[in-house]
Amino acid sequence: MDALGAHRALLGRLLPGDRLDGLAVRRGQFHHVVIGAQRVVCLARTAAAARRLPERAARLRALAGLGLGFRIPEPLEEGAAAGPGEPAYLVLSRVPGAPLEEGALENPEAAEAVAAQLAALLSELARAGGDARARAVLPHAPEEGWREFADEVRAQLFPLMHDAGRVRAGRELAALDGLPHLTSAVVHGDLGGENLLWETVDGLPRLGGVVDWDEVSLGDQAEDLAAIGAGYGEGLLDRVLALGGGAPGGGAAGRIAAIRGTFALQQALCAGRDGDEEELADGLAGYR
């Protein structure tokens, strides 16, 4: 049964102005997201995701106070699971816009507009990384984070892979060796196509806002640039970099490539921690 059918009474209360039939439902790695006209309901898919909801709300409130220059969701209501089979939830304000349509970047003028706005977004996130409020509330990327990630992948995911998959994963993990420890910028953590919402103004895309801040931290902007490259292609990524969008320090291209190479492993490891077999299988699809 889908989220609308399984939790109809709860959603009817949380989205009182909406007719439930026909509402868009997106299945994220951690939540089912039900999109109403003015409100969005995030239903935790696992117990681990449910435990993280209060922290997620707190981070959104902290980000809202930074004046980032673009919209982010505002927490409106949160609740624990009411009984067996019921999910914990977080209700957010709806950010206007939608992911870019397929082929939107084939228009050179539209691609330039998107690149310029992404460069501006990354500049704002870099500025916010120096804000004392952000540095007090948001988690800092751990100094040994990539080494610990590699150790966890080897311990937890290698046994699930075939021999060629382990060889591939080993190469991807080796590329992380020597990455610098940076905490200079606010890093979204999944700045991909589904989380960037666009409106159309005078025939061109305009950034409506950014959603899904579950993985936000103070870290290296190469992570967000890697997600932009994965979502929008290398050509647009190169233009964002040319416009001054993020990734200070030397070796930016190598850092971006190394981090991008771990995206499937990151998905699989998070899914394994949360007991999400479907997401785990998707993340490991190229390794077994």
Side-chain angles (χ1 to χ4, degrees):
M1 185 181 294
D2 63 17
L4 288 177
H7 308 297
R8 197 170 190 84
L10 174 64
L11 291 168
R13 182 178 70 78
L14 299 177
L15 299 171
D18 292 296
R19 296 183 61 181
L20 296 184
D21 294 331
L23 288 184
V25 181
R26 291 185 182 150
R27 180 185 181 281
Q29 184 170 352
F30 305 116
H31 311 97
H32 291 294
V33 181
V34 183
I35 303 172
Q38 301 296 328
R39 297 174 135 213
V40 173
V41 179
C42 301
L43 303 172
R45 295 184 56 230
T46 66
R51 290 192 294 270
R52 291 193 294 265
L53 286 178
E55 184 179 31
R56 183 185 188 196
R59 291 177 183 178
L60 287 172
R61 293 186 183 101
L63 289 167
L66 298 179
L68 294 174
F70 52 87
R71 296 183 185 96
I72 64 173
E74 175 188 353
L76 301 176
E77 181 180 346
E78 56 188 287
E86 288 297 311
Y89 64 85
L90 177 64
V91 183
L92 304 171
S93 62
R94 180 173 177 176
V95 174
L100 283 179
E101 295 182 1
E102 186 175 355
L105 297 179
E106 293 175 5
N107 177 345
E109 192 175 1
E112 184 67 15
V114 168
Q117 290 173 84
L118 291 178
L121 182 156
L122 288 163
S123 294
E124 283 296 309
L125 293 177
R127 176 193 62 77
D131 190 295
R133 292 167 296 178
R135 301 198 71 81
V137 174
L138 299 180
H140 294 226
E143 187 167 359
E144 297 296 322
W146 288 118
R147 182 189 61 77
E148 292 169 0
F149 167 75
D151 289 346
E152 284 190 76
V153 168
R154 293 187 178 99
Q156 299 182 32
L157 300 183
F158 271 32
L160 306 178
M161 300 177 183
H162 53 48
D163 289 344
R166 284 190 286 273
V167 171
R168 172 189 164 183
R171 288 196 304 267
E172 292 163 347
L173 296 176
L176 300 174
D177 292 342
L179 285 181
H181 179 236
L182 301 176
T183 62
S184 54
V186 173
V187 174
H188 178 277
D190 189 13
L191 206 62
E194 290 296 316
N195 294 329
L196 295 165
L197 303 184
W198 304 85
E199 303 172 285
T200 300
V201 178
D202 296 329
L204 294 175
R206 183 178 70 182
L207 186 63
V210 183
V211 300
D212 193 359
W213 292 85
D214 284 12
E215 302 301 311
V216 65
S217 68
L218 293 161
D220 183 358
Q221 282 199 314
E223 293 187 46
D224 282 346
L225 286 157
I228 288 171
Y232 293 139
E234 294 296 325
L236 190 90
L237 172 61
D238 289 344
R239 187 60 185 146
V240 170
L241 289 168
L243 291 167
R255 283 152 49 208
I256 293 167
I259 292 167
R260 182 173 173 179
T262 68
F263 280 173
L265 294 174
Q266 290 185 46
Q267 174 185 328
L269 188 61
C270 287
R273 290 171 182 156
D274 279 9
D276 189 329
E277 293 297 328
E278 189 172 350
E279 286 290 326
L280 175 64
D282 182 65
L284 289 178
Y287 300 87
R288 61 185 187 183

